[in-house]
Amino acid sequence: MLSKRGRGAASLLWGSNLGDRPANLASAREAIRAAAGPILNTSAVYRTEAWGKTDQPEFLNQVVEVETDLDPEALLETLMDIERQMGRERSERWAPRTIDLDILYYGQDVVQTARLMLPHPGIPDRRFTLVPLAEIAPDFVHPQYGKTNQQLLRACYDLLTVREYF
């Protein structure tokens, strides 16, 4: 997957727990195609319990691989623009949202800036990320931990429910 494509291939996680969640994911897909590049691979959509702030509706989450000419910082800015256009309001950490777009991996790049950390630091701790990620890229090796996504999933201590939606 990403290791074969190198620079320009990114794994993204998107999720929604407000409004018409399937329509929100479809809108995000189209917006990302138009603004960032073609989607090469997609996981199933999963129903997941909220993580962090648990007293809110469950999420629909999906991981996709996108091929992009945008560098990581430009990709982040593009995703944040899409979130704003889709009505995302950043009122509090882990609040309910129409759409949440995260960069998980950008090839094998390791990025540490004030705005962006890649790979996403939450990958090893979040089953809602690892289940769909291991579905589409089970053998991709995390560039910092030296473990595959499948190995990270097996070691994940998060017990929140993740069920296939469609």
Side-chain angles (χ1 to χ4, degrees):
M1 180 194 145
L2 294 176
S3 58
K4 294 178 185 171
R5 296 188 180 280
R7 187 156 185 84
S11 289
L12 309 178
L13 171 71
W14 55 49
S16 174
N17 75 336
L18 289 179
D20 185 341
R21 298 170 306 157
N24 292 341
L25 297 184
S27 293
R29 177 189 322 274
E30 291 310 311
I32 288 168
R33 275 190 189 133
I39 294 172
L40 304 174
N41 200 359
T42 62
S43 74
V45 174
Y46 291 88
R47 292 174 43 196
T48 65
E49 295 178 84
W51 192 94
K53 185 176 188 260
T54 59
D55 62 338
Q56 59 182 303
E58 70 180 7
F59 278 81
L60 292 186
N61 285 299
Q62 185 174 38
V63 168
V64 301
E65 178 188 8
V66 63
E67 187 170 45
T68 185
D69 292 330
L70 301 174
D71 65 43
E73 289 278 347
L75 180 58
L76 174 65
E77 191 57 43
T78 297
L79 297 179
M80 291 179 76
D81 286 343
I82 292 168
E83 286 180 341
R84 283 189 289 273
Q85 291 166 12
M86 290 184 64
R88 166 96 188 251
E89 295 180 14
R90 294 181 181 272
S91 58
E92 66 178 289
R93 189 172 188 182
W94 296 318
R97 46 209 173 266
T98 53
I99 196 71
D100 184 26
L101 304 171
D102 291 319
I103 306 170
L104 301 175
Y105 293 116
Y106 191 96
Q108 287 287 320
D109 289 8
V110 175
V111 177
Q112 304 241 342
T113 69
R115 295 187 64 213
L116 180 62
M117 292 179 63
L118 293 175
H120 191 291
I123 291 172
D125 304 322
R126 299 174 180 173
R127 184 168 299 282
F128 71 88
T129 300
L130 284 166
V131 169
L133 189 56
E135 177 189 332
I136 66 169
D139 299 322
F140 181 77
V141 177
H142 191 292
Q144 292 172 304
Y145 293 112
K147 295 181 178 180
T148 67
N149 289 322
Q150 190 62 48
Q151 289 170 322
L152 291 172
L153 177 58
R154 281 195 299 269
C156 183
Y157 62 86
D158 175 16
L159 300 177
L160 290 180
T161 303
V162 178
R163 295 180 306 272
E164 194 168 325
Y165 182 70
F166 64 84

